[in-house]
Amino acid sequence: MSAHGPRRPPRVVVVGAGIVGCSLADELTARGWTDVTVLDQGPLPAPGGSTSHAPGLVFRTSQSRTLTAFAQYTVEKFGSLESDGVPCFQQVGGLELATTPERLADLHRRAGHAAAWGVRGEVVGAARCKELWPLLDESVVLGGFHTPGDGLARALHACRAQLDRATAHGARFLDRHTVTGIERRDGRVTGVVTDRGTFPADHVVSAAGFWGPVVGRMAGVDVPLQPLAHQYARTVPLPALRGATAEASKPILRFQDRDLYFREHSDRLGIGSYAHRPLPVDPFAVLPYDEARARNMDMPSSYPFTPRDWAPSWEDCRRLMPALRDAEVESGFNGVFSFTPDGMPVLGESRALRGFWLAEAVWVTHSAGVAKAVAEWMVNGRPSLDVHECDLTRFEEAQRSPAYIRERGSQQFVEVYDVVHPLQPMERPRPLRVSPFHARQRQLGAYFLEGGGWERPHWYEANAGLAADVHVPERDAWSARHWSPIAAAEARATRERVALYDMTPLRRLEVTGPGALDFLDRMTTNNLRKKPGAVTYTLLLDETGGIRSDLTVARLAPDRFQIGANSPADLDHLLRHAPDGVHLRDITSGTCCVGVWGPLARDLVQPLTPDDFSHEAFGYFRAKETYVGHVPVTAMRLSYVGELGWELYTTADLGLRLWDTLWEAGRELGVVAAGRSAFNSLRLEKGYRAWGTDMTDEHNPYEAGVGFAVRMDKADFVGRAALEHAGEPDRRLTPLLLDDPAAVVLGKEPVHVDGAPAGYVTSASYGYTLGRCVAYAWLPAPLAAGTGVHVEYFGEKVAATVADEPLFDPKMTRIRR
């Protein structure tokens, strides 16, 4: 309470009264933010967006832990709600079918994800599938993945139930209000303009679904989503379902081998298809509600059914279910909903317009979970769940063009039911971003994968001859994808001689100004008050002590720093907090980096530079601005592979000359170009963490094993107070060595302790130096080194042992020499 009386709750205007807007209003008012106005251009309770036609299938399991958690909360919440006496969720279970060996294997992998994320499910045989769905032709089914807790969300009932609860807490819902503008002043949102008046606001949330880009443009904020039309049809009444009175009694069904799903509508079947060509929709051309109705459309999101797109899918349906062979389609429509370039939602507050939030590209499956996360974010300053995969800042500038969003969004539609390998790169548009070394890498036969739009070499065919005498166990077909034994040869060359690594895609920020040191020291955990030339590994925490990111900070001059960061969110976060006089810019695209690592790294670099690169003159975690040949470089003595070496930075225009200089000088030393596959193996042998994979803001430094980067004896920093009360961790990021030298896992597999799931793998790679696969996993803290566990890989339990870290060179003698 303020000196002038009770503080008023913030004024929130939510644009969109679909399932996300209704859920968000409910979550906000439950947390005390009761001045909430929800606007929609159509009539309630079905204003005409994607929610109004959603079939409501909720399959919780995803390879994304975040999406699975969103879906779990949606089931939990909707399962507790009803509207007009009708439950908002019907737990009929879920069943995903396999009609090919490849799909059956993938269902075992999905069962692993389910176990890792806490979803009950099992892979069952064809006979059990037939029991669950008697309409199936058992002869074409090899098996299925059954999840008893999945089912049907009645989206409009859930909207009504949450609308009523939010209204009871003070929210108001206004239909027939078309948003025409977003008001702003001094970089903050101040209100929403509609055709029926203006609504003042401290916060505005765009939950407009496929209209998101339209609302975003009004606010000057781009919303990277592409609406697409998706076919949904209902059959005539089926004799096999005659007499059915319940809306549904069988599990919701996926036939992913043919991009189809099914649900009951009493004595009819509803069938959705992703098998057709992508049908992109321009969100700026979608008709208003009344105009759509005047054109005989049920609603703006319901486009006319296109029979020619449906015909192949209908034949697939009839082959799967004999009961459909004499049936017909009674009705159908092409429903519009949203896809992003990576298939994930777009959430968070815009820095360009403070107080303007996005909750977009969200399906009914994840709606309540997303609403809870966004409400926590708004009220408490952060969600309780890691949402970095959904953060609106995650896309690079090169990934935000309308052409990119349209092409990648359309491809996400095509791939929605595909078996996608975790390393599988997109096919188009490529190449998009290339380092200055790209031409040389192609000459060396680089095998490129893609990340953040960058072409990233994973190994080089030029090194195939080096692999001839390297023994690597044969891999299974899945783990052999996007992998080559050449990676083992490159790892050995790094350990024994010297290798060049292209580190250009790693993010680089420059921070300058008289207040730069104080600012960075306040934002991070380690001591940055060192003389110029020092490099420090440190952490960005949030107020709860969660790890927002890890950074390397090089102090190049008293008021000039170069930061090695992770994602665009790091720059966004620092810019939000930077005081006047401190300047930040992303220098990644204008610079490049070569990692020169291996026991012969000094022999390679020293003859090329006028500076002393001896251990005494150029110690570990130090930086110098010098020359390599004719090229000015910033040299940092860092190593993420556990070997002697340097990161050499220069401007992009000089990058090719730097590479050629190092390459020519290194020939007599046996230098090789090495890729990310070898890099990942080497860094895991040293136990170096990867933010976003091994640790996120759900973890504090002591749990994640990076407490050494925290200096509690320094001045106050963000997250310090939380760490003072952190207590002993009950979970830890734990290194495992697989017992079988031939066994390999890839990440996200469940880890079983005493026969029950107890955690999950984060990163994994074969350790070529150790001769074992290394896996890091989040597991209960008390597990001691030597404890036996099992990692579930495609349904098989693979034995592993908890190990001490670092697994390789624990005394750091190879780096510090």
Side-chain angles (χ1 to χ4, degrees):
M1 182 177 294
S2 73
H4 305 287
R7 180 180 299 173
R8 68 167 176 82
R11 296 167 298 181
V12 180
V13 174
V14 179
V15 181
I19 191 64
V20 178
C22 292
S23 297
L24 181 58
D26 184 45
E27 295 288 338
L28 285 171
T29 55
R31 288 166 173 79
W33 281 26
T34 54
D35 190 349
V36 177
T37 301
V38 183
L39 305 172
D40 207 298
Q41 54 105 28
L44 294 177
S50 300
T51 301
S52 302
H53 64 67
L57 285 74
V58 178
F59 288 93
R60 290 166 296 163
T61 304
S62 165
Q63 65 178 353
S64 165
R65 178 171 169 268
T66 299
L67 288 187
T68 300
F70 285 161
Q72 288 172 305
Y73 183 74
T74 299
V75 167
E76 174 188 330
K77 184 177 185 181
F78 290 0
S80 69
L81 297 176
E82 64 176 41
S83 176
D84 298 328
V86 178
C88 295
F89 183 78
Q90 186 176 0
Q91 198 170 67
V92 292
L95 180 63
E96 302 177 48
L97 299 177
T99 60
T100 65
E102 294 77 15
R103 181 67 63 180
L104 185 60
D106 189 60
L107 293 186
H108 281 285
R109 185 170 68 107
R110 288 181 61 76
H113 289 146
W117 315 143
V119 175
R120 185 165 67 95
E122 64 174 336
V123 177
V124 298
R128 178 59 176 152
C129 292
K130 176 72 171 179
E131 289 178 15
L132 292 166
W133 255 86
L135 276 64
L136 295 175
D137 180 350
E138 185 180 351
S139 68
V140 303
V141 176
L142 299 182
F145 176 45
H146 181 219
T147 45
D150 290 340
L152 288 169
R154 297 184 175 96
L156 292 179
H157 284 282
C159 283
R160 172 57 68 184
Q162 292 177 104
L163 182 155
D164 290 343
R165 290 207 318 190
T167 300
H169 287 128
R172 58 177 175 167
F173 289 75
L174 302 176
D175 61 4
R176 298 295 189 174
H177 282 66
T178 300
V179 173
T180 58
I182 305 294
E183 292 189 332
R184 66 195 96 169
R185 184 173 59 250
D186 299 328
R188 282 204 63 89
V189 71
T190 60
V192 177
V193 182
T194 77
D195 59 349
R196 298 176 65 179
T198 298
F199 296 83
D202 302 304
H203 298 271
V204 173
V205 184
S206 178
F210 57 77
W211 281 291
V214 179
V215 177
R217 180 175 291 182
M218 297 176 193
V221 176
D222 66 309
V223 181
L225 67 81
Q226 175 61 55
L228 288 112
H230 158 67
Q231 291 202 300
Y232 191 78
R234 290 195 192 199
T235 68
V236 297
L238 301 176
L241 299 178
R242 184 178 293 118
T245 56
E247 179 184 358
S249 60
K250 302 174 185 60
I252 53 176
L253 184 69
R254 277 175 169 167
F255 181 22
Q256 290 143 303
D257 288 324
R258 289 295 182 268
D259 298 308
L260 292 164
Y261 62 81
F262 303 81
R263 57 153 294 179
E264 296 165 280
H265 294 281
S266 299
D267 61 352
R268 295 165 168 81
L269 286 188
I271 307 168
S273 172
Y274 295 97
H276 55 83
R277 62 196 166 98
L279 299 168
V281 173
D282 180 358
F284 295 90
V286 176
L287 297 176
Y289 187 92
D290 291 327
E291 190 173 340
R293 296 285 290 179
R295 297 193 185 187
N296 295 318
M297 296 168 61
D298 287 340
M299 59 192 73
S301 61
S302 179
Y303 278 46
F305 194 63
T306 49
R308 71 184 182 92
D309 292 311
W310 177 254
S313 290
W314 186 231
E315 291 307 309
D316 289 331
C317 294
R318 287 169 158 170
R319 280 191 288 270
L320 180 68
M321 298 185 189
L324 296 177
R325 288 172 186 168
D326 296 322
E328 299 294 337
V329 170
E330 184 176 68
S331 63
F333 65 94
N334 290 1
V336 181
F337 63 136
S338 305
F339 284 83
T340 59
D342 60 3
M344 298 292 287
V346 181
L347 312 177
E349 183 190 21
S350 167
R351 182 173 47 82
L353 183 60
R354 301 293 182 89
F356 184 80
W357 295 77
L358 297 180
E360 297 290 11
V362 182
W363 295 5
V364 171
T365 299
H366 311 113
S367 56
V370 163
K372 178 188 177 189
V374 173
E376 290 173 334
W377 208 340
M378 296 174 72
V379 175
N380 304 326
R382 60 151 286 175
S384 57
L385 177 72
D386 166 49
V387 297
H388 81 273
E389 294 176 308
C390 310
D391 195 298
L392 62 85
T393 65
R394 69 187 183 271
F395 296 111
E396 305 283 348
E397 191 64 30
Q399 297 173 306
R400 305 184 79 94
S401 70
Y404 185 94
I405 292 165
R406 180 184 175 97
E407 184 167 2
R408 292 304 308 153
S410 296
Q411 188 61 25
Q412 287 295 326
F413 178 93
V414 171
E415 295 177 358
V416 70
Y417 281 167
D418 285 1
V419 177
V420 178
H421 192 275
L423 292 177
Q424 182 174 318
M426 65 181 187
E427 295 180 2
R428 299 184 311 273
R430 290 181 65 193
L432 184 61
R433 307 175 78 187
V434 298
S435 80
F437 324 129
H438 186 69
R440 298 293 183 264
Q441 292 165 345
R442 292 185 63 186
Q443 291 169 3
L444 293 169
Y447 183 88
F448 291 102
L449 297 181
E450 179 272 340
W454 287 101
E455 294 296 315
R456 301 185 179 203
H458 272 240
W459 68 84
Y460 295 85
E461 289 296 331
N463 297 324
L466 302 177
D469 61 344
V470 175
H471 173 69
V472 183
E474 186 175 346
R475 291 199 174 200
D476 65 277
W478 182 254
S479 65
R481 291 189 193 182
H482 307 295
W483 173 84
S484 169
I486 294 172
E490 293 174 1
R492 186 171 77 171
T494 308
R495 291 276 189 242
E496 295 179 354
R497 299 190 305 279
V498 61
L500 305 184
Y501 287 82
D502 181 3
M503 305 303 289
T504 300
L506 300 186
R507 186 167 308 280
R508 292 172 291 285
L509 310 178
E510 182 182 73
V511 184
T512 58
L517 175 59
D518 290 341
F519 166 62
L520 290 174
D521 204 45
R522 163 83 176 120
M523 295 298 294
T524 66
T525 59
N526 213 332
N527 176 29
L528 302 184
R529 297 185 182 278
K530 302 171 184 176
K531 295 179 181 179
V535 183
T536 306
Y537 176 80
T538 188
L539 307 171
L540 275 179
L541 304 184
D542 62 25
E543 294 289 352
T544 71
I547 303 171
R548 288 189 59 97
S549 188
D550 62 342
L551 311 175
T552 53
V553 180
R555 191 178 189 187
L556 302 179
D559 297 331
R560 180 165 60 92
F561 296 81
Q562 181 172 310
I563 295 178
N566 286 296
S567 76
D570 294 342
L571 177 62
D572 183 83
H573 178 67
L574 292 172
L575 284 170
R576 287 173 186 268
H577 293 86
D580 292 341
V582 173
H583 306 285
L584 293 94
R585 65 188 185 106
D586 190 327
I587 61 173
T588 309
S589 297
T591 56
C592 59
C593 178
V594 182
V596 185
W597 290 313
L600 301 182
R602 185 175 287 116
D603 301 68
L604 172 54
V605 178
Q606 183 62 84
L608 302 173
T609 179
D611 279 273
D612 186 352
F613 271 50
S614 68
H615 181 65
E616 294 73 22
F618 197 159
Y620 191 51
F621 267 83
R622 299 292 298 173
K624 285 186 180 182
E625 293 182 297
T626 182
Y627 291 86
V628 170
H630 298 91
V631 179
V633 301
T634 299
M636 298 186 196
R637 190 166 169 202
L638 306 175
S639 174
Y640 289 97
V641 299
E643 296 293 336
L644 171 69
W646 289 266
E647 294 178 357
L648 302 177
Y649 299 88
T650 192
T651 52
D653 59 322
L654 291 167
L656 190 59
R657 183 61 179 262
L658 175 61
W659 180 278
D660 288 346
T661 299
L662 294 167
W663 188 259
E664 289 304 317
R667 284 182 182 274
E668 62 184 28
L669 301 174
V671 70
V672 303
R676 296 289 298 182
S677 186
F679 176 90
N680 201 44
S681 170
L682 297 169
R683 70 105 181 161
L684 281 173
E685 290 183 331
K686 284 297 294 178
Y688 294 143
R689 276 61 167 153
W691 185 85
T693 301
D694 298 318
M695 57 189 185
T696 69
D697 61 7
E698 288 188 22
H699 312 111
N700 74 40
Y702 308 117
E703 296 170 322
V706 289
F708 64 86
V710 178
R711 293 288 179 268
M712 296 298 285
D713 57 351
K714 64 177 272 189
D716 194 24
F717 58 87
V718 175
R720 174 182 176 145
L723 294 186
E724 288 176 341
H725 301 93
E728 283 297 312
D730 58 5
R731 59 180 178 177
R732 293 187 190 275
L733 187 61
T734 304
L736 306 175
L737 284 174
L738 271 57
D739 293 353
D740 182 352
V744 174
V745 297
L746 300 182
K748 299 187 178 180
E749 297 88 357
V751 180
H752 297 259
V753 178
D754 296 329
Y760 59 91
V761 173
T762 57
S763 294
S765 179
Y766 199 84
Y768 301 112
T769 316
L770 301 174
R772 291 287 191 281
C773 183
V774 180
Y776 272 76
W778 282 102
L779 290 171
L783 291 181
T787 302
V789 300
H790 287 86
V791 181
E792 183 179 336
Y793 183 70
F794 286 91
E796 300 294 326
K797 302 296 195 302
V798 180
T801 302
V802 175
D804 281 322
E805 62 175 341
L807 304 170
F808 176 78
D809 188 26
K811 296 184 178 180
M812 304 283 282
T813 57
R814 298 176 71 92
I815 292 176
R816 294 189 170 101
R817 57 179 171 182

